[in-house]
Amino acid sequence: MENEVTIRIGGESGEGTISGGDILALASARWGYHVFTFRTFPAEILGGPCMFQVRISDRPVKSMGDYADVLVCLNKEAYDRNIRDLRRGGVLVYDPGDFTPESDDFITYAVPFNELARKEVQLFQTKNMVMLGAIAGLFGPPLEALLQVVESRLSKSRKANPILMEKNRLALDIAYRYVREKIDKRDPYQLGPVEKADRVVLNGNQAVVAGALAAGCGFFAGYPITPASDIMEAMAKELPQVGGTFLQAEDEMAALAAVLGASFGGVRAMTATSGPGFSLMTELIGLASMAELPAVIVDAQRAGPSTGMPTKMEQADLSFALYGGHGDTPRMIVAPANVADCYTLMGLAFNMADRYQMPVIFLTDQSLTARVESVDRSVFRPFTIEGRLEYGKANSNGANGANGASNNGKHETAAALAASFARYAYTASGISPMTIPGPGAIPYSATGLEHNEHGHPDYEPEDHTAMMQKRFRKLETAAQELPQPEPYGDREAEIGLIGWGSTEGAIQEAVDRARAKGYKVASLHLRILSPLPDRAIRDFISSVKTIIVPECNYSGQLANLLGARYGLQPIRVNKFGGIPFTAGEILRAIEEVC
Amino acid sequence: MENEVTIRIGGESGEGTISGGDILALASARWGYHVFTFRTFPAEILGGPCMFQVRISDRPVKSMGDYADVLVCLNKEAYDRNIRDLRRGGVLVYDPGDFTPESDDFITYAVPFNELARKEVQLFQTKNMVMLGAIAGLFGPPLEALLQVVESRLSKSRKANPILMEKNRLALDIAYRYVREKIDKRDPYQLGPVEKADRVVLNGNQAVVAGALAAGCGFFAGYPITPASDIMEAMAKELPQVGGTFLQAEDEMAALAAVLGASFGGVRAMTATSGPGFSLMTELIGLASMAELPAVIVDAQRAGPSTGMPTKMEQADLSFALYGGHGDTPRMIVAPANVADCYTLMGLAFNMADRYQMPVIFLTDQSLTARVESVDRSVFRPFTIEGRLEYGKANSNGANGANGASNNGKHETAAALAASFARYAYTASGISPMTIPGPGAIPYSATGLEHNEHGHPDYEPEDHTAMMQKRFRKLETAAQELPQPEPYGDREAEIGLIGWGSTEGAIQEAVDRARAKGYKVASLHLRILSPLPDRAIRDFISSVKTIIVPECNYSGQLANLLGARYGLQPIRVNKFGGIPFTAGEILRAIEEVC
Amino acid sequence: MVQSTTPTLTLKDYKSEVKPTWCPGCGDFGVLNATLRSMAALKLPVDQTVVVSGIGCSSRFPHFIRTFGFHSVHGRALPVAQGLKMARPDLTVIAVGGDGDFFSIGVGHLVHAALRNIDITAIVMDNETYGLTKGQTSPTSPHGHKTKSSPYGLLASQFNPVATALSLNVSFVARGYSARPKELAALIEQATLHRGFSFVHVLSPCPTFYNTFDAWDAAVTPLPEDHDPSNRLKALEYALDNEKQYIGVFYREERPTMERVAREVVEPHEFRIEEYIQRYA
Amino acid sequence: MVQSTTPTLTLKDYKSEVKPTWCPGCGDFGVLNATLRSMAALKLPVDQTVVVSGIGCSSRFPHFIRTFGFHSVHGRALPVAQGLKMARPDLTVIAVGGDGDFFSIGVGHLVHAALRNIDITAIVMDNETYGLTKGQTSPTSPHGHKTKSSPYGLLASQFNPVATALSLNVSFVARGYSARPKELAALIEQATLHRGFSFVHVLSPCPTFYNTFDAWDAAVTPLPEDHDPSNRLKALEYALDNEKQYIGVFYREERPTMERVAREVVEPHEFRIEEYIQRYA
Ligand SMILES: Cc1ncc(C[n+]2csc(CCOP(=O)(O)OP(=O)(O)O)c2C)c(N)n1
Ligand SMILES: Cc1ncc(C[n+]2csc(CCOP(=O)(O)OP(=O)(O)O)c2C)c(N)n1
Ligand code: SF4
Ligand code: SF4
Ligand SMILES: [Mg+2]
Ligand SMILES: [Mg+2]
């Protein structure tokens, strides 16, 4: 018996496939298991085929799993679409009223979902409860765990009604008993009791919102776009509750412009978008970079180019995040690898934006936005907020805000004081002290024109050269100050994988499996893509013989970056179908090299 | 006596500095000389310091020259700003009424411009004619050459008036005689008679317009922006004369959208912009790439980031041109190196756009937009127009438009025919036959969503993967079909320079000068940046020991590209003050390596 | 040249083989139906008609019609359509999309389409919500409306598309209702025939995220028979009515269209580079 | 905190040390002067006032004023200003720019600023041309106008900013003339005091590329003394006058402002992540 199982539910959107999966994941997690989900979205707004996969394990799970161990089909189409992803020897649970499976590559359990719901429960909408009851009976978790989640959900819903709850309970129960009685269990998957753990269960976008709020974000402006809309929606709800404000903008340019306005006003501000909206923000990202204004921009990558496939994942906005915008335009980039990162890196992103006075691009992706993970509660600690270097104020880094400014405190008139304030002072770190409108602050003008230390327009070659260096010097300073990633796996590795973003789990699982097979492998995962953690990368690439860079994109965008920066010509492993890597795919790439 | 001189005129904008320089350049060119100009623009709309430099030679000139041989100052500020760029031992021409120069690093000729204009000509506006007369008397060209240009200019102008022309003639004459009589010539610069040649004299933007018209461009939409506005203005005037149409759009998104609309209609269409506008076009470039629509986008690079320095040059939009836009988005990039290229590469760009059904970005820059060169008339030949691969039509490449489409000609109804037409057919070349609205054409829908061969929305992993490969396959096909550049310089070179864009002349001059000093140097200049001319680059980099990549940008954008593609770690030589390289600067970089 | 696909005469001939992905009951079905009907009535040749759209549920339109189609990006249907018509005045060009497309991200283009009066027809399917992104507020959502993006009620005022089009002096302004496809088809027909920029505001409910069918069934009222569509002020009055949603032709005026005038400013001749370059000799 | 820079009371105290780069005679000098005057009259604290602009000759404005300034990018002054005011309702926020900024690339933002009614003041210096890019047509250029970008005469109609602002129901609409800086200063003062989105259309000629001083000297007429600024229809009539360019306050209405209402929808409390995360337990 294995205390781990990957269950996929395939069905029609709207008939409870997704909500059923959600309940299963949540119940398992509350019961003490680690969970990791993956789902697809139908092309239609209502209805259409979809699937929900949840991996449940008593050990931490890092990826969605190579194959489903169990496939539950709510109709024939679900079978046709998903059967290829069922592990050989896995379990197919189906309704014999829908179809009769033909292969004997897998164990089959026939459960008459439709009939049980219609005839026994006498409420067809309980079909997904029937399914859950059957799953509980066959593999776990216990019925009570499911019941608790269903109850708490229903009580929150406006449709709460005792009869419905009763029917749900009945459905779960009937199906549970049905499989216990009628099915001859021949598979090894059975979730046994585990120790309770203090975890929370949420998806990437929910963690992003938690992170933004914990980081003290006080303003959000955005425009709806899949798969970033729910960040906006949550901020619309939460911000007013903590004294912040929210603006639904008329487009993404207005959104980022409003964010820069708020940021100029000293308020931590962000927006969230996806590819098309991110493309529209290009000019304003350049302005933030030039005017040296903090801003956090979440780009929930989806498959492109153009409108592409809004509900599919891809890691193909890295090059654009790096180089998007005319001219040489410094910006910072962070990319979360998992749900916990979505929280912690938001804290880091806001600190980076403020400290280095620069736009910070937060590159999540569609799979991570919707991925539900169980995360240790301890991850969700308050952040240490590092504010901006303010002129005339001692700042949280201990540095005195006055450094680099030409004010020596002896000016007598406000005008003279203002004239002497060098908002864009050339400093060793590149970071210049700024002011924020408010009583006593010295005014200056932010501008997208090239300017001198005082922010006045200036086109002299010497000044442009020096300002350009100053702006980029902030990235060098940051590269020194920011955390360096640690390699994972074999310390004596010959093969090294370098990855970024949501693929970490699959890569690390592949490393584990390769090592178990005797290969000397390690991986390095980059959470900060700009500035690159130079030290860690150089150490890593000089310590291994072969580098593999797996990415979910066509062109090998991280590989290109490593080539540009280190002259590296890694082995590129690219997947670009709109679906994340499985660990097995990466393992195969490792084995091909060996 | 040298038949070559570089003359710089420094003065106040509006007092004829630029028009004087223009006349000097044109007169010299008509007289049979090669010319090459460089100018700066004041920050103010009216007035403000500016300068015009013209290099005049009986041999072809490739760059603006390291230093001015002659500096003509129309006021004291011009002296202060420009004297550092006068060659040691060069000639300073100044008005003793303005100031008295102090150094004796150079030869000085005092010419009382103001007094001559005011007292002798009795019309102060003729000051720039006085200056030209003095230049003619001191260095050439002959007075008649100048007079001819002045006359033809005046006759075109609305201000034409015989008295003014008379005064101009007088001013030229008086100054000419003044310097001949009063100045003791002690310098070696004297332009002697040369053979007449069949050349035309124009700047980069004028050549772009000529190229667009010769390429059969039938639609232009744009929005004003420095330094691309004059392309738009010329197209506004010229297009209606050749049956085309022009639209001043409300912004750059509307401009490119309109261009794509026209292109969908089968009309060759273009827009021209600079950095900020180019940034705004990002999303629509992605659409063109995805929907596989031809479009030519001229980006006249200026110093950035953000609004930056609108009147200064920089080569810093290459990374953005390459990677601008979310997702993996194929596009083509050409970059002219000189005025002749501005013409010929426009022809190529339109052919590339049509043949590969893709946006083509034409990366000129501010210095080239305003650079006046004398160009052999033979450069301006009609283009061979290569049309699109049209479904059901034999196209100009000889290929049959029907290839790859699943229509076998046997369908009976229009509906069946339309249903069978595979607009985005998977072909070996990646190029799929298209149709253009009009009698008898089979309709299809272009879309920015991922789609199947028929253009219908399709999110299946296999289809996305195959479509992605198909779209990028066009770049591979193009890399095979497009011309490869030839190296310049030593065939046994040990040091190789790779450059792009308007710096070619300075690089080649540096190569010449380095070879004259005995160094083994060659250069390769890239006019097509996407797809890269793989063969030529590989040959070149494997033939030399050291690679230098000089670029007018901070981050080394071509160097990055070569790193990403070939793992090259070249020596980067970057200038980023808003001013082009001189040959001397590049020569120094070569010498440092040796 | 492959065989001609004209003439196509019945509604069915204008339907493409792609099945709409819309939710059952979506108002856009009615608009599609009305559009196909108007196309059939006008006998528009499918090979010389282009339907341009932006992004949204409504913007899937072109895929469902057998004419040429251009499903562009969010907000840009109007400039795409205008460029196409400027370059190809022989084609019939129809721009379609949603309230988000035309009144939020794309509203600037609406202003300029009005000023230019290029002969295109815009059909806006207004469901007062963002359908495709699942129900956030749009510019036409009513003040106070609660959605996922306005959990405390919408704070902005409601945009009035017909009033704005009238005050921008759009040369043909009409409103229809998707639940009255016959009248709507007649409006689209007239709009297509109108020479100049024509704007058809269509009430097209989104039963999934904001079901306005009942409200509109009650509010929709044909413009009085005696309404004079050359009376812009009167039209504005009807447009500003808070209770009723008038349908019909609010305003119509013949003005020169830009794609025509642009061709009349000068007599074109053939381009010859040898001649052209002479100016720089 | 460095020493306080208030109080500043005279016009001179509001002038920055940066010398305007405008051409001699540019209308924008008058607007700058009027703005400084209004600031002095209102005793706006320089440390709590922000002037936001886009790109253009007119948009250089912030550099010449001693308050905080934000010289953003072309067309985006309004969203920058709105974001700032939403986040910092305690500040006085003024958005300035040209006709290109506000009526061409940025006109979509104008529509939405009207719908939101955030308390900012927009001052648009309309010279009916693109000054900074050297004289192309702008949306307010008259039909038929010949420029480098309209060599055969402008084909589009002329945009009417005041009429549009009125029909969009902007809550304060006024027009001034740069050659009458005293009246203009008074208008800007009232606009700044107005709670809500206020729009001041300023006729500000560009003598270098399109000298409209004489024409405007002749056309500019104060609104009749008895004009009732709550009468929107009458205001529209004045705005649509083809001969006269009325100056004065066309319309004014007090409506709730978004930055205030947004703070009243719910009682805020301190954020504690430990509590917040509990919902996912
Ligand atoms: C630039 C950009 N921003 C956002 C989106 C996401 N998006 C898709 S459709 C849509 C709005 C849909 O609303 P509407 O235009 O009213 O059309 P409907 O779906 O209601 O028919 C949005 C915001 C996008 N595709 N592109
Ligand atoms: C995105 C973008 N497009 C174009 C430009 C070029 N540009 C600068 S100012 C301007 C228009 C200026 O006209 P207006 O707004 O009326 O201001 P004015 O100079 O007349 O005061 C333009 C088109 C730009 N800076 N950014
Ligand atoms: S979501 Fe609304 S607008 Fe979209 S298809 Fe469904 S009903 Fe129609
Ligand atoms: S160009 Fe016109 S708007 Fe610009 S500064 Fe000169 S006069 Fe003023
Ligand atoms: Mg809608
Ligand atoms: Mg203007």
Side-chain angles (χ1 to χ4, degrees), chain A residues 181-197:
Chain A
E181 285 164 20
K182 301 272 162 79
I183 303 253
D184 168 26
K185 190 167 159 79
R186 288 157 285 152
D187 68 87
Y189 307 109
Q190 183 63 57
L191 301 171
V194 285
E195 237 176 279
K196 263 220 172 265

Side-chain angles (χ1 to χ4, degrees), chain D residues 19 37-38 56 69 71 95 114 117-119 126 133 141 145 155 160 168 178 184 203 210 224 259 280:
Chain D
K19 195 179 143 265
R37 221 186 262 246
S38 76
H71 182 197
N117 199 37
I118 294 171
D119 181 17
D126 186 355
T133 51
S141 297
H145 187 45
L155 305 182
N160 186 326
L168 291 170
S178 73
L184 181 56
L203 306 173
Y210 187 32
E259 82 283 359
Y280 300 116

Side-chain angles (χ1 to χ4, degrees), chain D residues 28 55-58 97-101 124-132 136 138-140 204 206:
Chain D
D28 295 350
I55 296 291
C57 291
S58 41
D99 40 325
D101 250 326
V124 184
M125 285 158 262
D126 186 355
N127 50 19
E128 302 190 348
T129 194
Y130 286 179
L132 192 61
Q136 300 85 0
S138 95
T140 48
S204 180
C206 168

